[in-house]
């Protein structure tokens, strides 16, 4: 018989034997449905976000290229270099206060020139497409209008200037590229900040200059040319291919986490696939034996049932992909306002093919061993398979090994963080190995301990170690299922802890920016008059960039770095600088010594210890900062541990006073009012007396942060739920795989006089023993996985609520026991006479 004829006959038999509703293979369908559905949804959503950013990158950024600088604009030479590339639009961004009658609100003031916008359209609610406002007018976002309670034509005050509300903003094309904002947007003409007294030497503002290229240019090459031409300028350059770097990083982190969850669901589901296929083939052992008696070879058997399993795997994977893609609009709607994604259906071939490839490979890895066992033995061995289990086929190792290698290669080649994916796969393998060892240990222990007097307990104990017992599969299923419950609870409560337990309790009421140094006494008087018990802290506030760092014999130029080291984020662009005589509150000295008051020696700097380690800096090394175009070189004097949770002024770089005192700068302050003190009067008095300052109410900032974290929590909750469902599916698969042997045992016990209650109690004792033994293991595995997600992937604090975690673990134990007993009920309905005739 030719190869083609053999496959044609196998296909005909497989089609006739396969139930139209996939009876017997439904568990395989469910497992693949969950895993591929999660991966398809995650991949499609990520592709939709990245596609949106790529398609609208120029509009989100406001140009092909953007240069940001703090406390200064571009010099004539720098602007000239940009004008050689195309059209240029410049403007400034700063925090300010807007006033109307007795109301005041912190705003993000956006001053634009006549060339704005270079891409997209700035539109108002009345339908007009506009540019910079005319003299004496301002465009207000709806949020700013609502905060001030103003309508069109109303007069508002910003700094020393009075402006008329000329329109309400409908769409702001570069809103996403502007990043996180501390107040609603107000757009004004380019010269307004200077005329209003908001910009002076030392003021904290940011200039943004965009370029629309006059021809196609290589973005990376242009960026490199500008950095080489102006190496000491401290440019923070963004290009249209990374228009929203903060969003990109968030998407990458969420994508990595969700992809790992999808892979975890597939790995867990794969165990269920193995159990389901074993159960399916066991139920067809007589059909397989009959085919062999009629002349079918082992290869024919493998072809027939491989075709059936492939058909079921394709059906489950494709159904999961369809549902996963259909879920993307719902996920996009839930994430609107946080991420740039439209709510339309997105079909990304790459994400779909990747999910399908994972699904089919996992099906191959876990279905191959039971399939090859079924083909290996003669008819009589198959007839005795219930009491003489089939041996393992060495050929399965080749297929399983090849499938695992393909999964590993696929995960590493398609991951944005191969190291993370490799670590996850290694961890999954370690967990599987650990659970296998635990299963073996439970069997050995169950066989070694004294037999109980109760026959029910004795039989339950025997079920754990007798030949052909399903202890190994049940341990794996219960371990993964319970660990998924712990992971779900620990991740969710840790995120809730980051939202509720730290930030609000320790945050000041106000941040105040740009306090002139000659008006500090007036500022303190206003605070004291509003609340005699208030506490405040003022610090010098400057911006600067790290131009060079390292040993004084071979300093590294930051501009020459091809890539910023992980954790050394403060080397990127301009960062906050301050100086102090004493160690700042909330900081702990970990190495070196602090300079004393009135220090006038060599200029020094104190570093955050984590940054120093990431950048490879040690005490005695040098650093050169660019501050307002002037280079200032200082020596590293000490390292600090910073309490970032305090929400006060925390600086990576704190310099000795003699290093920065002569640079133009203002002060910033935090204000903490005593409990019950109204905040409105102080806000009004500060705005009236110090019009050039910007007062930020921390409550609004915390609300934005809370919203973002809640959305992150919702995404992780949904994703981790997939792992829980997969764990339950695995449990059902393990029970289904052992159903034939369980039916035989149950029938024998019924013949010997056992009633249904006794058999059910026997099952309960067995499952309770396994669940109890695995509870601590699952707690450890789930907690470790959650810790990695929270601290390493999301970089949040590890703040789980252990009471809730333990309660959820208990609920998980009850749930899996309920599922286990529910899946065992069909065994009690088996009729002894009918069952015995099939043996």
């Amino acid at each position: 018989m030719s190869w083609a004829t053999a496959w044609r006959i196998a296909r005909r038999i497989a089609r006739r034997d396969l139930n139209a509703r996939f009876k017997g293979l439904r568990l395989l369908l469910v497992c693949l449905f969950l895993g591929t559905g999660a991966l398809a949804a995650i991949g499609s959503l990520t592709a939709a976000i990245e596609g949106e950013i790529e398609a609208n990158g120029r509009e989100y950024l406001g140009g092909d290229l953007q240069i940001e600088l703090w406390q200064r604009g571009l010099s004539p030479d720098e602007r000239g270099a940009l004008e050689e590339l195309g059209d240029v639009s410049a403007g400034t961004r700063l925090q300010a206060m807007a006033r109307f009658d007795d109301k005041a609100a912190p705003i993000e003031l956006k001053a634009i020139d006549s060339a704005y916008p270079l891409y997209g359209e700035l539109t108002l609610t009345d339908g007009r497409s506009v540019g910079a406002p005319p003299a004496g007018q301002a465009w207000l976002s709806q949020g700013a209008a609502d905060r001030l309670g103003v309508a069109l034509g109303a007069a508002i005050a910003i700094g020393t200037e009075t402006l008329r509300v000329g329109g309400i903003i409908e769409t702001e094309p570069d809103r996403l590229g502007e990043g996180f904002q501390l107040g609603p947007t107000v757009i004004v003409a380019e010269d307004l900040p200077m005329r209003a007294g908001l910009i002076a030497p030392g003021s904290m503002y940011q200039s943004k200059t965009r370029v629309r290229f006059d021809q196609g240019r290589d973005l990376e090459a242009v960026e490199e040319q500008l950095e080489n031409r102006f190496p000491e300028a401290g440019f923070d350059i963004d290009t249209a291919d990374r228009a929203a770097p903060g969003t990109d990083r968030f998407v990458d982190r969420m994508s990595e986490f969700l992809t790992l969850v999808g892979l975890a669901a597939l790995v867990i589901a794969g165990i269920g696939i193995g159990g389901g296929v074993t159960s399916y083939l066991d139920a067809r052992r007589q059909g397989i034996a009959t085919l062999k008696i009629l002349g079918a070879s082992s290869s024919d058997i493998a072809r027939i049932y491989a075709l059936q399993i492939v058909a079921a795997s394709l059906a489950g994977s494709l159904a999961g992909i369809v549902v996963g893609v259909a879920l993307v609009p719902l996920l996009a709607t839930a994430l609107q306002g946080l991420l740039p994604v439209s709510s339309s259906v997105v079909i990304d071939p790459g994400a779909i093919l990747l999910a399908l490839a994972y699904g089919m490979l996992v099906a191959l890895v876990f279905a191959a061993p039971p399939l090859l066992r079924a083909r290996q033995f003669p008819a009589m061995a198959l007839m005795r398979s219930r009491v003489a289990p089939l041996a393992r086929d060495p050929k399965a190792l080749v297929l399983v090994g090849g499938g695992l290698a393909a999964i590993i290669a696929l995960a590493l080649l398609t991951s944005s963080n191969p190291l993370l994916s490799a670590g996850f796969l290694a961890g999954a393998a370690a967990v599987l190995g650990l659970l296998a060892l635990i299963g073996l240990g439970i069997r050995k222990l169950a066989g070694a301990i004294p037999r109980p007097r109760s026959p029910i307990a004795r039989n339950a104990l025997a079920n754990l170690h007798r030949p052909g017992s399903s202890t190994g599969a049940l341990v794996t299923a219960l371990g993964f299922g319970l660990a998924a419950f712990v992971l779900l609870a620990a991740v969710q409560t840790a995120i809730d802890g980051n939202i509720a337990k730290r930030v609000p309790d320790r945050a000041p009421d106000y941040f105040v920016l740009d306090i002139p140094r000659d008006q500090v006494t007036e500022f303190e008087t206003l605070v004291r008059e509003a609340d005699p018990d208030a506490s405040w802290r003022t610090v010098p506030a400057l911006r600067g960039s790290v131009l060079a760092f390292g040993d004084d014999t071979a300093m590294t130029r930051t501009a020459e770095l091809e890539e910023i080291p992980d954790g050394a984020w403060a080397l990127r662009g301009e960062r906050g600088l301050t100086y102090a005589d004493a160690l700042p509150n909330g900081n702990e000295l970990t190495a070196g010594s602090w300079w004393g008051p009135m220090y006038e020696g060599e200029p020094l700097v104190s570093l955050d210890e984590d940054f120093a380690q990431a950048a490879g800096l040690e005490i005695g090394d040098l650093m050169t900062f660019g501050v307002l175009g002037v280079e200032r070189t200082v020596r590293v004097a000490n390292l600090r541990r910073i309490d970032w949770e305090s929400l006060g002024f925390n600086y990576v770089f704190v310099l000795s006073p003699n290093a920065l005192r002569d640079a133009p700068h203002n002060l910033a302050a935090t204000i903490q009012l005593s409990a019950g003190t109204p905040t409105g009067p102080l806000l009004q008095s500060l705005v009236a007396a110090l019009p050039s300052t910007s007062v930020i109410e921390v409550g609004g900032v915390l609300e934005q942060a809370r919203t973002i974290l809640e959305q992150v929590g919702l995404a992780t909750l949904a994703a981790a739920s997939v792992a829980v469902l997969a764990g339950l599916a695995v449990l059902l698969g393990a029970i289904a795989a052992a159903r034939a042997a369980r039916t035989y045992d149950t029938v024998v016990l019924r013949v010997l006089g056992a009633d249904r209650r006794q058999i059910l109690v026997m099952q309960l004792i067995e499952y309770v023993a396994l669940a109890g033994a695995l509870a601590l293991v699952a707690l450890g595995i789930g907690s470790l996985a959650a810790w990695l997600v929270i601290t390493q992937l999301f970089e949040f604090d590890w703040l789980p609520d252990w009471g809730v975690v333990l309660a959820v673990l208990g609920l998980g134990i009850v749930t899996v026991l309920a599922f286990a007993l529910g899946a065992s009920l069909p065994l009690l309905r088996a009729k002894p006479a009918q069952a015995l005739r099939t043996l």
Side-chain angles (χ1 to χ4, degrees):
M1 184 185 301
S2 68
W3 181 83
T5 302
W7 276 103
R8 186 168 60 253
I9 294 173
R11 181 171 60 83
R12 187 181 305 126
I13 296 173
R15 187 177 66 249
R16 291 176 178 176
D17 183 53
L18 186 62
N19 186 279
R21 292 177 294 174
F22 294 101
K23 184 177 180 181
L25 287 172
R26 291 172 188 166
L27 181 65
L28 181 148
L29 265 72
V30 169
C31 290
L32 286 175
F33 173 84
L34 289 171
T36 56
L39 285 174
I42 293 160
S44 298
L45 179 64
T46 303
I49 296 169
E50 292 175 346
E52 188 79 11
I53 293 175
E54 182 178 353
N56 300 298
R58 290 178 173 83
E59 185 173 321
Y60 291 151
L61 184 68
D64 292 288
L65 179 140
Q66 171 184 271
I67 291 180
E68 297 178 347
L69 287 169
W70 282 93
Q71 297 183 287
R72 76 177 183 92
L74 294 180
S75 69
D77 286 345
E78 292 165 346
R79 184 176 175 104
L82 296 187
E83 290 175 343
E84 295 173 4
L85 302 173
D87 299 326
V88 176
S89 173
T92 55
R93 310 291 185 272
L94 66 154
Q95 295 302 129
M97 299 297 296
R99 307 184 303 279
F100 175 71
D101 292 340
D102 60 346
K103 295 180 180 179
I107 60 169
E108 181 184 85
L109 193 65
K110 180 173 179 175
I112 59 176
D113 63 10
S114 58
Y116 177 92
L118 295 176
Y119 287 102
E121 286 188 70
L122 174 61
T123 61
L124 305 179
T125 54
D126 58 12
R128 285 183 291 161
S129 181
V130 297
Q137 292 189 29
W139 312 136
L140 271 64
S141 66
Q142 189 63 57
D146 292 342
R147 290 286 297 274
L148 294 169
V150 298
L152 287 176
I156 63 172
I158 298 177
T160 59
E161 291 289 307
T162 300
L163 303 170
R164 184 172 61 84
V165 179
I168 305 298
I169 301 169
E170 176 72 23
T171 59
E172 184 184 354
D174 54 348
R175 177 63 264 161
L176 180 68
E178 299 286 13
F180 188 80
Q181 62 186 82
L182 298 175
T185 302
V186 173
I187 297 179
V188 297
E190 183 181 17
D191 61 344
L192 185 281
M194 187 72 72
R195 288 191 291 106
L198 300 176
I199 291 182
S203 297
M204 192 62 64
Y205 67 95
Q206 186 180 35
S207 68
K208 291 193 176 186
T209 309
R210 283 87 175 265
V211 186
R212 180 175 58 202
F213 293 159
D214 54 10
Q215 61 184 24
R217 299 178 186 273
D218 184 292
L219 293 172
E220 188 174 341
V222 171
E223 181 178 358
E224 185 176 352
Q225 290 169 8
L226 289 172
E227 289 176 342
N228 291 336
R229 184 170 175 179
F230 305 102
E232 314 302 336
F235 288 163
D236 190 351
I237 301 177
D238 288 318
T239 54
D241 57 353
R242 55 174 194 274
T247 299
D248 285 344
R249 285 192 291 272
F250 178 78
V251 171
D252 287 344
R253 293 292 174 88
M254 283 300 298
S255 175
E256 288 167 359
F257 167 68
L258 295 176
T259 300
L260 293 185
V261 169
L263 286 175
L266 268 179
V267 170
I268 297 171
I271 303 165
I273 290 170
V277 172
T278 298
S279 175
Y280 177 73
L281 294 175
D282 185 77
R284 277 159 173 70
R285 77 194 192 289
Q286 289 188 348
I288 295 173
T290 302
L291 287 172
K292 285 210 165 187
I293 290 171
L294 294 175
S297 66
S298 296
S299 297
D300 293 330
I301 298 300
R303 291 189 190 99
I304 292 168
Y305 289 98
L307 286 171
Q308 292 185 357
I309 292 167
V310 167
S313 300
L314 274 174
S317 298
L318 292 175
I321 288 169
V322 170
V323 172
V325 171
L327 283 175
V328 171
L330 297 178
L331 296 173
T333 301
L335 293 172
Q336 277 184 349
L338 176 63
L339 296 173
V341 57
S342 66
S343 57
S344 58
V345 174
V346 176
I347 298 178
D348 182 74
I352 291 173
L353 289 175
L354 184 62
L356 181 62
Y358 273 128
M360 298 307 292
L361 284 172
V362 168
L364 166 68
V365 168
F366 289 95
L371 179 62
L372 291 180
R373 283 201 303 270
R375 69 179 285 279
Q376 184 69 23
F377 291 89
M380 291 307 296
L382 288 166
M383 293 287 190
R384 294 193 302 269
S385 64
R386 284 188 178 178
V387 293
L390 297 174
R392 298 184 183 277
D393 190 333
K395 292 183 179 179
L397 294 176
V398 177
L399 284 176
V400 171
L404 288 174
I407 290 173
I408 293 170
L410 198 60
L412 297 182
L413 290 174
T414 59
S415 173
S416 59
N417 190 338
L419 188 61
L420 179 68
S421 295
F424 165 78
L425 292 172
V431 170
L432 283 171
L434 174 64
L435 292 175
L437 289 175
I438 291 173
L440 180 63
I442 289 176
R443 292 186 64 176
K444 295 290 186 183
L445 181 62
I449 62 176
R451 296 182 179 181
R453 295 178 119 190
S454 167
I456 294 177
R458 188 162 58 250
N459 277 283
L461 186 64
N463 279 340
L464 296 176
H465 66 84
R466 63 176 174 76
S469 73
S470 56
T471 299
L474 286 173
V475 164
T476 302
L478 285 168
F480 269 113
L482 294 176
F485 274 100
V486 173
L487 171 68
L488 182 71
V491 168
Q492 191 63 34
T493 58
I495 290 176
D496 289 343
N498 278 274
I499 294 173
K501 292 186 177 179
R502 293 294 181 95
V503 174
D505 292 341
R506 306 182 64 181
D509 292 296
Y510 289 116
F511 283 107
V512 186
L513 306 178
D514 276 332
I515 304 171
R517 283 187 285 175
D518 59 0
Q519 292 185 288
V520 172
T521 302
E522 185 176 357
F523 163 78
E524 293 177 343
T525 300
L526 291 171
V527 175
R528 195 177 296 110
E529 289 175 349
D531 180 8
D533 297 322
S535 59
W536 63 89
R537 176 189 172 200
T538 57
V539 296
L542 301 92
R543 302 287 296 193
S545 57
V546 179
L547 302 179
F549 62 95
D551 185 89
D552 52 4
T553 60
M555 294 182 70
T556 300
R557 306 299 296 183
T558 307
E560 296 174 359
L561 291 175
E562 293 185 4
E563 187 176 350
I564 299 297
D566 288 341
W569 51 270
L571 294 176
R572 187 182 293 111
E574 293 190 323
R575 298 294 165 184
L577 304 177
T578 192
Y579 59 84
D581 279 321
L583 181 69
N585 293 333
N587 287 219
E588 177 186 350
L589 208 63
T590 59
S593 58
W594 195 266
W595 52 85
M598 308 302 293
Y599 174 79
E600 293 298 338
E602 181 184 16
L604 303 175
V605 64
S606 173
L607 304 180
D608 168 52
E609 63 174 357
D610 292 333
F611 166 79
Q613 182 178 2
L617 286 165
E618 299 177 351
I619 294 175
D621 288 344
L622 294 180
M623 297 189 73
T624 298
F625 292 92
V627 183
L628 296 173
V630 177
E631 291 191 10
R632 296 172 184 266
T633 299
V634 295
R635 190 174 297 279
V636 178
N638 57 69
L639 306 180
R640 293 167 291 121
R641 182 178 297 120
I642 301 174
D643 180 10
W644 294 103
E645 297 166 359
S646 64
L647 262 186
F649 290 114
N650 293 312
Y651 287 86
V652 173
F653 308 116
V654 178
L655 285 75
S656 59
N658 63 333
L660 287 177
R661 190 187 296 119
D662 61 328
H665 65 278
N666 290 328
L667 303 180
T670 58
I671 304 173
Q672 181 73 56
L673 301 177
S674 57
T677 301
T679 57
L682 175 58
L683 177 62
Q684 300 299 328
S685 60
L686 286 173
V687 172
L690 305 171
S692 64
T693 63
S694 176
V695 184
I696 301 169
E697 295 175 278
V698 176
V701 178
L702 294 181
E703 189 60 36
Q704 291 186 60
R706 186 177 295 111
T707 299
I708 292 172
L709 288 174
E710 285 173 350
Q711 288 178 302
V712 172
L714 180 63
T716 55
L717 176 64
S721 297
V722 175
V724 170
L725 292 174
L728 294 177
V730 170
L731 179 61
L732 294 177
I735 294 170
R739 184 168 294 167
R742 295 278 180 163
T743 301
Y744 175 79
D745 294 343
T746 301
V747 166
V748 171
L749 291 171
R750 292 281 301 281
V751 170
L752 295 176
D755 59 29
R756 294 184 178 184
R757 184 191 65 81
Q758 290 173 318
I759 293 174
L760 198 61
V761 170
M762 194 183 307
Q763 299 275 350
L764 181 62
I765 292 173
E766 179 183 352
Y767 290 126
V768 167
L770 287 175
L774 288 168
L776 288 177
V777 176
L779 182 63
I781 294 173
S783 298
L784 176 60
W787 178 83
L788 290 171
V789 168
I790 291 294
T791 63
Q792 304 303 305
L793 197 59
F794 289 159
E795 297 182 358
F796 291 166
D797 294 326
W798 178 235
L799 299 171
D801 186 329
W802 290 109
V804 173
V805 172
L806 293 175
V808 170
L809 176 59
L811 177 63
I813 291 174
V814 172
T815 301
V816 297
L817 290 178
F819 270 87
L821 293 178
S824 301
L825 289 178
L827 302 179
L828 304 180
R829 295 195 294 268
K831 296 180 180 179
Q834 181 179 352
L836 290 172
R837 281 197 297 270
T838 64
L839 294 176

